[in-house]
Amino acid sequence: GVAAATIFFQGIIPFLSQGKDQKVDYAPSSHINLNDIKVYENYLMIKGNFQYGGVSSTGSMYPCISDNSSLIYSVPQPDDIKAGDIIAVNVSNFKNIFPNGTTFTHRVISIGTDEKGIYYLTKGDNNLFEDKAKIRFSDIKYVAVGVLW
């Protein structure tokens, strides 16, 4: 039989809620050129330097990312990260905020600058409040470019 997968590519579906009652209308930026996607009878091919991996099952990004989801991701450059993107963050610098893990995957809700440079504020789509850490580019492991359900 033919294996089938539903794929959500960032930039196609605008999906984000911030806080309890506030809707934000930006979607993840597109990290894949549509000309680089080829669909064949038994497989899908994406041209580029992408990797594939699972995520922790915390429910914080539900329904966009569920327990059975896997991500297609790439290692970003600093200019690649935009509000709306889903990033994986190395939490080794934030053990006081995230004591139970090595990585979390949340959406960038805003980008700012302070005396230390650029930082990213993140939030799980299913969480009521934003994360308490200012994420620096050096803390970002990858940016999601697609979700497999």
Side-chain angles (χ1 to χ4, degrees), residues 2-115:
V2 175
T6 302
I7 300 175
F8 161 81
F9 286 105
Q10 293 204 80
I12 295 176
I13 301 173
F15 181 102
L16 176 65
S17 62
Q18 179 183 2
K20 187 174 178 183
D21 298 316
Q22 183 181 5
K23 285 280 192 189
V24 179
D25 30 338
Y26 51 74
S29 55
S30 179
H31 296 277
I32 299 175
N33 182 326
L34 291 179
N35 293 327
D36 291 336
I37 301 171
K38 304 291 184 210
V39 179
Y40 300 94
E41 184 177 339
N42 295 319
Y43 64 96
L44 170 78
M45 185 175 76
I46 305 169
K47 183 179 175 185
N49 188 15
F50 303 108
Q51 299 176 27
Y52 168 82
V55 294
S56 299
S57 58
T58 66
S60 67
M61 288 297 293
Y62 184 83
C64 181
I65 300 173
S66 65
D67 293 353
N68 298 323
S69 300
S70 296
L71 295 179
I72 299 171
Y73 60 89
S74 67
V75 177
Q77 298 298 314
D79 292 341
D80 291 345
I81 306 298
K82 308 289 185 228
D85 284 346
I86 298 171
I87 59 173
V89 177
N90 180 342
V91 299
S92 61
N93 293 333
F94 309 105
K95 288 295 186 187
N96 58 327
I97 301 171
F98 305 103
N100 297 326
T102 58
T103 303
F104 72 87
T105 304
H106 282 174
R107 192 178 305 272
V108 175
I109 59 169
S110 66
I111 301 171
T113 306
D114 63 11
E115 66 281 352

